[in-house]
Amino acid sequence: MSTSPFLRDFFRPPLWHDWGAGFVCQTRCEGLPDPRWGIWNSTLAQELGLSEIPTQEANVHFSGNGPQVPWCSAYAGHQFGQWAGLLGDGRAHTLGRDPAGNQEIQLKGAGMTPYSRRGDGRAVLRSSLREYLGSEAMAGLGIPTTRALALLTSSLPVRRETRETAAIVARVAPSFLRFGHVEHLAWHGFPAELKRLLDLLITFHYPAARHQPNPVLSVLEAVVERTAHLMAAWQSVGFCHGVMNTDNMSLLGLTLDYGPFAFLDRYDPQFIGNHSDQEGRYAYDQQPGIGAWNCAVLGSALSVLIDDEEGIQTVLGRYEPKFSTSLLSRFRRKLGWRKPLPEDPSLIESLLSLLHRNQVDFTRFFRFLAQDAVQAEPARLEDEAEFQGPSSWTEWVSAYRERCAQEESSTGVRAQGMRAANPKYVLRTYLAELAIRQAQQGDFAMARDLETVLRTPWDEHPEFSAWALAPPDWAGALTLSCSS
Ligand code: AMP
Ligand code: MG
C-alpha cells in the first residue's frame, strides 16, 4: 500500500514523547491485515484538518499500517478497589498530536505493546463500535468525553468469550492522561517524571494553577472539581460507566474508556451495567461516591509532590458539595426550573423514588415532561401506560405544577428549555446491539444513522422516533462484560 506524504507528516509527537523508559516507549503497531472502513467521523475530521485526506491513505494510517512509529505510555491503577500495578497502555498506540497541537490521536486495538501483559492488544468490533457510538453520544449530550474519529474492521479472528473479529477505533482527546499515570510514576519510583507530568498538566491544561501558592495542589483541586461535575453529568442522563477503575479516570475530567457502559432504560438506582461487577461497586448510584474515592487515590499519589496533607484533605472535601450543587442544578434544568427554591431537592427525590417504584423509563419520562402537554394536562401522566402504578403521581404532578407556577417564564419557554435539557435519544444498549449485528455483516448504515441522531439528541428526528421508544422485551436479556 502506498502512502502519500500528507498523513505521514500530519502527526506531531505527543507532549510526553521524550520522558524516558519509565513512562514512554516507541513501538510499532500490528496493523489490521485486511482493513475495511467502518465509520469515518467527517465532522471531527474537519475540525482536525483531516477532511481532505484520501480514503485509501487514511485507511492505511488508521488501521495501524502507517509508516510512523507511535508511542505508548505506562500507567498503573486500582481495579475494583485493589492496587493492580502496571496496566497499560496495553492496546493503545498514540499516533501523535494534530498540527495545532490541541488533540492527541490514538489507535485502540492495534496490537500488543510492551505493557500488554497477557492481552493480545486487540479490540473486537463489538466493543469498538460501542466505544465509537458511546463517545460520540456523550459528545452530542455535551458531556466531556474522548471522541471517536474512525472505526476500521478486519476479518482477523480474535478470541473472547466467543470468536469475534478485530477492529480499531481511532480516538481523539486533548490528552489521554489518567489518574493511573500519576499512580504509576508516584508508586513505581519516578519522581522526576511525575514532576514533568504535573508540569505538562499545568502548562497545557490547568494554566491558572501556575499562579497559585501550591500549583500541584491546585491541579488536584481542578481535577476534583471536574470529576465532580462529570459525575453529575453522568447521573443526569443515566449514564453508567461500568468500570470506574482509577486507570479509566481522566486527568482532564473526560469520560474515558468505554467498556461495559450503559444508559439507564427504566430508572433503577442499583442498576449494574457490567455483569462481571457482582457486588455492584460501579452501580449507577455508586458512581458519585466512587468518583470521590478515585480522587482520594489521586490525592494520595500526588502527596509525593504536595507537602501539605491538610491541604489535600481540604481539596478532596470540596468534591461532595461541588457534585451536589452540580447535580441539583442539572435536575432543575431537566424539570424546567430556573430559580432555585428550597423545596426543590425534596421534590426531585420524591420524583426519583416514584420513577423507581413504577419502573419508569428515565429518558422517556423527562422528555415526556418536557412536552408542554404535562403542564396543560397533568392527567396524561397517569394515562401513559408506562407511568401507571399504585402510586401518588397525581400528588407529585400537582406539587410540580405549583412549583412551576413560581417560575417567571411561560409554559412554552419552559418546555423549550426542558427539551434542550432532556434528550429524546440516548444510546440504549439494545440500539447499540442492533447496530453491532448489522456491522458484523459489514453493514454500517444503522451505526451511521445512530451517530447522526445522537449528535443532536435533543432534536426530534421524526424519522427515527422508534429509537426513542422504551426497549423491546428481548433487550432485557442483553448483558455486558469487560471482555472486549
Ligand atoms: P480495562 O479494565 O478495560 O480498562 O483494562 C485495563 C487495562 O488492560 C487496559 O488499560 C489495557 O491496557 C489492558 N487491556 C485490556 N484489554 C487488553 C487486550 N486485549 N490486550 C492488551 N491489553 C489489554
Ligand atoms: Mg481502560
Side-chain angles (χ1 to χ4, degrees):
M1 278 184 271
S2 73
T3 54
S4 84
F6 179 60
L7 251 184
R8 197 180 55 212
D9 297 338
F10 177 83
F11 299 104
R12 308 287 179 271
L15 294 165
W16 37 267
H17 74 278
D18 59 350
W19 287 9
F23 186 85
V24 54
C25 68
Q26 212 170 354
T27 181
R28 282 198 178 279
C29 296
E30 297 173 89
L32 295 176
D34 60 341
R36 274 164 283 172
W37 274 112
I39 329 183
W40 172 243
N41 188 340
S42 48
T43 318
L44 183 57
Q46 204 151 11
E47 283 169 33
L48 292 167
L50 281 168
S51 53
E52 305 290 310
I53 297 175
T55 311
Q56 172 60 15
E57 194 196 342
N59 176 307
V60 170
H61 280 263
F62 295 118
S63 61
N65 291 301
Q68 93 270 35
V69 191
W71 293 264
C72 300
S73 62
Y75 62 79
H78 280 74
Q79 295 188 314
F80 291 89
Q82 305 294 324
W83 172 242
L86 202 64
L87 290 169
D89 283 320
R91 52 173 171 170
H93 290 78
T94 300
L95 294 179
R97 283 180 301 147
D98 68 328
N102 298 324
Q103 303 286 338
E104 274 182 11
I105 301 169
Q106 185 175 82
L107 300 183
K108 181 169 175 179
M112 292 207 280
T113 81
Y115 313 119
S116 291
R117 298 175 295 153
R118 287 182 300 279
D120 56 8
R122 294 294 179 194
V124 298
L125 172 56
R126 160 180 301 281
S127 68
S128 303
L129 185 53
R130 280 172 49 80
E131 167 136 11
Y132 187 106
L133 293 174
S135 56
E136 289 308 293
M138 291 297 259
L141 288 165
I143 296 176
T145 178
T146 62
R147 302 288 306 271
L149 174 66
L151 173 74
L152 286 103
T153 68
S154 163
S155 60
L156 182 74
V158 176
R159 263 218 90 68
R160 292 294 182 261
E161 279 152 3
T162 57
R163 209 171 126 111
E164 301 190 45
T165 53
I168 286 179
V169 181
R171 54 184 190 177
V172 175
S175 167
F176 290 94
L177 289 170
R178 303 147 188 269
F179 288 17
H181 281 113
V182 175
E183 291 179 85
H184 162 61
L185 296 176
W187 304 133
H188 291 154
F190 298 101
E193 287 80 358
L194 184 58
K195 275 207 192 83
R196 271 186 105 163
L197 172 64
L198 267 295
D199 206 50
L200 182 158
L201 285 172
I202 293 166
T203 305
F204 292 94
H205 305 293
Y206 296 103
R210 176 82 67 206
H211 312 292
Q212 297 302 312
N214 189 334
V216 175
L217 186 61
S218 294
V219 170
L220 176 64
E221 182 173 8
V223 176
V224 165
E225 189 168 322
R226 284 198 196 181
T227 305
H229 284 303
L230 183 67
M231 292 307 114
W234 287 4
Q235 299 306 101
S236 74
V237 296
F239 177 80
C240 309
H241 182 282
V243 204
M244 287 177 66
N245 294 333
T246 55
D247 55 302
N248 292 335
M249 297 294 292
S250 154
L251 287 170
L252 301 194
L254 308 173
T255 310
L256 170 66
D257 278 8
Y258 290 78
F261 73 89
F263 285 86
L264 292 179
D265 289 314
R266 60 189 167 76
Y267 181 71
D268 173 8
Q270 280 101 46
F271 175 83
I272 303 168
N274 177 356
H275 89 143
S276 327
D277 180 14
Q278 277 134 3
E279 315 220 316
R281 178 179 170 84
Y282 300 136
Y284 169 77
D285 66 352
Q286 299 301 302
Q287 296 188 127
I290 291 292
W293 193 89
N294 289 340
C295 285
V297 167
L298 178 66
S300 144
L302 282 176
S303 68
V304 170
L305 298 183
I306 307 170
D307 189 19
D308 178 5
E309 188 49 37
E310 206 183 310
I312 292 177
Q313 291 313 318
T314 306
V315 159
L316 292 174
R318 300 212 175 108
Y319 176 94
E320 214 297 311
K322 287 273 179 225
F323 166 74
S324 298
T325 312
S326 184
L327 187 70
L328 182 57
S329 90
R330 282 186 175 268
F331 269 96
R332 279 201 179 104
R333 274 195 68 214
K334 286 175 85 70
L335 290 164
W337 305 335
R338 281 203 173 174
K339 67 171 168 201
L341 290 180
E343 67 262 36
D344 296 350
S346 85
L347 259 176
I348 294 167
E349 214 168 285
S350 58
L351 169 62
L352 291 176
S353 124
L354 275 170
L355 294 181
H356 184 204
R357 282 213 304 281
N358 293 284
Q359 311 214 337
V360 176
D361 188 276
F362 186 72
T363 306
R364 282 174 58 74
F365 173 81
F366 282 99
R367 187 71 183 186
F368 178 73
L369 202 63
Q371 312 303 322
D372 52 1
V374 173
Q375 281 91 338
E377 206 186 319
R380 274 198 49 195
L381 254 187
E382 296 278 0
D383 293 346
E384 285 275 304
E386 64 180 297
F387 301 143
Q388 275 177 11
S391 60
S392 43
W393 275 116
T394 322
E395 212 176 286
W396 185 85
V397 170
S398 67
Y400 175 65
R401 293 188 66 187
E402 264 171 46
R403 169 64 184 83
C404 289
Q406 300 186 58
E407 291 289 318
E408 270 129 41
S409 55
S410 70
T411 307
V413 168
R414 205 162 56 244
Q416 198 179 5
M418 287 170 75
R419 277 194 295 276
N422 294 298
K424 178 173 175 180
Y425 300 95
V426 290
L427 182 62
R428 294 176 187 273
T429 301
Y430 93 92
L431 292 173
E433 176 65 25
L434 289 176
I436 289 164
R437 288 179 192 172
Q438 268 196 12
Q440 286 170 335
Q441 307 304 313
D443 177 359
F444 282 83
M446 180 171 177
R448 280 193 215 102
D449 284 342
L450 269 175
E451 185 189 9
T452 306
V453 168
L454 295 170
R455 182 151 290 143
T456 52
W458 333 96
D459 292 351
E460 289 297 332
H461 302 286
E463 68 276 35
F464 295 107
S465 278
W467 293 349
L469 298 175
D473 289 341
W474 61 265
L478 295 172
T479 55
L480 302 166
S481 78
C482 270
S483 78
S484 58

